[in-house]
Amino acid sequence: MSSPNLEHLLPPSWKSQVQAWLAEDTPSFDYGGYVVGEAEREAYLLGKGGRPAVLAGSPFVTEIFAQLGCTVEWHVKEGETFEPVKRVATVRGKARYLLLGERVALNLLARASGIATMSKKIKDLARGYGFEGIIAGTRKTTPGFRLVEKYAMLVGGIDAHRHDLSSMIMLKDNHIWSSGSITAAIEHARAVGGFSLLLDVEVRDEAEADEAIAAGADIIMLDNIEGDELVQVARRLKEKWRGQRKFLFETSGGITEANLQERAINEIDILSTSVVHQSVPHIDFSLKIQMPKN
């Protein structure tokens, strides 16, 4: 059986997002399209830049051009690493429609591939340090572009973490302070979240982590706890609650390539970081229409 296609995760609404992107880019007259007309042309989609990259975003690019009556033939598969300069696809259609889709497609592909490339890099680094747990992104995504960014994390081989406020109950410092205590916040959340939603609670120290475990949290986020303290807190609490409670430890906050090794420890079950999608270098792509052959 072949591997499942990540495109099949996309909700029915995703194609309407593509339509909105195209409408945003050409809100009135297409002056460039007037110049080039509707001659049938072939264009090469080139992966450029100075480093190997992971291709991500091909379903979206295919749909962008499909809505413009063009076709895309991919030469690099989604999730594959390619060396620049590489022809990753050939796009065929009328000249003005190729150019209508060009910038929308390139911007999306650059961002998605950048996220997938960084996601793979962080995962590979963590595995190289011996970390066996889950590598996850965060919800610090771009409003209106979350679907693409979360999808790109999956293409890069990491966990996308929660997608929105309805996906999992996460109680952070403001929730706890507003509720009066960790225990009260958890009790209120459980009353409405029921059995089907995991409960992830952010804590600042060992005492708060202990309270969250006692109150029944599923995941304990040891936020900004680092180094030997992180190791010792996790070890002590796992030993204390062994056989009494089932829970996972998550480390998050301030994780970078530079300090990844000290956070990627097997006393921790989940390592979540925004470094895989915030301010990541984009991957350079270009679309070049080919001159007609005589």
Side-chain angles (χ1 to χ4, degrees):
M1 181 179 176
S2 60
S3 298
N5 188 336
L6 286 174
E7 182 181 349
H8 297 163
L9 283 171
L10 299 174
S13 60
W14 77 275
K15 293 186 179 182
S16 64
Q17 291 191 31
V18 173
Q19 187 175 22
W21 296 335
L22 292 169
E24 177 190 55
D25 204 44
T26 312
S28 57
F29 292 136
D30 175 20
Y31 299 104
Y34 167 78
V35 172
V36 301
E38 294 195 344
E40 291 288 336
R41 292 288 184 261
E42 183 174 89
Y44 292 169
L45 178 59
L46 303 174
K48 301 165 66 178
R51 60 196 175 98
V54 176
L55 180 72
S58 61
F60 299 96
V61 172
T62 297
E63 180 62 20
I64 287 167
F65 284 112
Q67 291 194 16
L68 296 168
C70 304
T71 61
V72 182
E73 178 187 357
W74 291 97
H75 310 305
V76 175
K77 294 180 181 179
E78 188 84 330
E80 281 188 351
T81 299
F82 65 89
E83 298 277 348
V85 172
K86 173 75 173 180
R87 176 154 56 122
V88 299
T90 301
V91 190
R92 300 178 179 89
K94 298 182 187 301
R96 74 182 184 94
Y97 292 119
L98 291 173
L99 296 176
L100 275 171
E102 175 187 20
R103 183 45 54 193
V104 178
L106 294 181
N107 288 350
L108 183 142
L109 205 58
R111 174 75 174 145
S113 297
I115 291 171
T117 300
M118 181 60 80
S119 296
K120 183 179 185 301
K121 181 178 183 180
I122 292 297
K123 181 179 179 180
D124 288 349
L125 282 173
R127 293 291 182 257
Y129 297 141
F131 183 62
E132 299 173 355
I134 296 167
I135 311 290
T138 73
R139 200 171 59 89
K140 295 177 181 178
T141 49
T142 309
F145 208 59
R146 180 181 302 169
L147 184 71
V148 176
E149 293 175 347
K150 289 288 191 179
Y151 170 86
M153 295 176 205
L154 293 173
V155 173
I158 68 169
D159 193 291
H161 213 288
R162 64 172 179 161
H163 285 246
D164 47 55
L165 291 175
S166 302
S167 299
M168 176 174 67
I169 304 172
M170 182 177 287
L171 301 178
K172 298 175 75 68
D173 50 7
N174 286 322
H175 300 94
I176 293 163
W177 297 335
S178 298
S179 300
S181 71
I182 290 172
T183 301
I186 290 175
E187 288 177 352
H188 294 154
R190 281 288 185 217
V192 292
F195 71 90
S196 64
L197 292 177
L198 291 175
L199 181 55
D200 192 339
V201 180
E202 178 187 273
V203 301
R204 297 170 297 179
D205 53 37
E206 185 172 351
E208 289 189 350
D210 192 47
E211 181 182 355
I213 295 167
D218 299 296
I219 303 164
I220 316 301
M221 181 187 290
L222 303 170
D223 191 50
N224 288 304
I225 301 175
E226 304 177 17
D228 187 60
E229 181 186 7
L230 179 64
V231 175
Q232 295 307 319
V233 167
R235 283 179 178 172
R236 282 194 294 266
L237 290 176
K238 283 192 172 183
E239 183 59 33
K240 176 180 179 178
W241 290 100
R242 192 179 308 278
Q244 302 177 66
R245 287 278 195 273
K246 290 184 178 181
F247 58 87
L248 300 174
F249 277 132
E250 177 178 354
T251 182
S252 187
I255 296 172
T256 66
E257 290 181 55
N259 66 10
L260 179 64
Q261 186 169 11
E262 67 182 62
R263 304 288 286 275
I265 57 172
N266 283 320
E267 285 79 7
I268 297 299
D269 307 287
I270 305 163
L271 189 155
S272 60
T273 174
S274 61
V275 76
V276 297
H277 56 93
Q278 281 198 319
S279 303
V280 297
H282 286 192
I283 305 303
D284 188 21
F285 292 89
S286 67
L287 187 74
K288 297 298 182 183
I289 294 179
Q290 302 304 295
M291 294 293 292
K293 297 176 182 179
N294 295 328

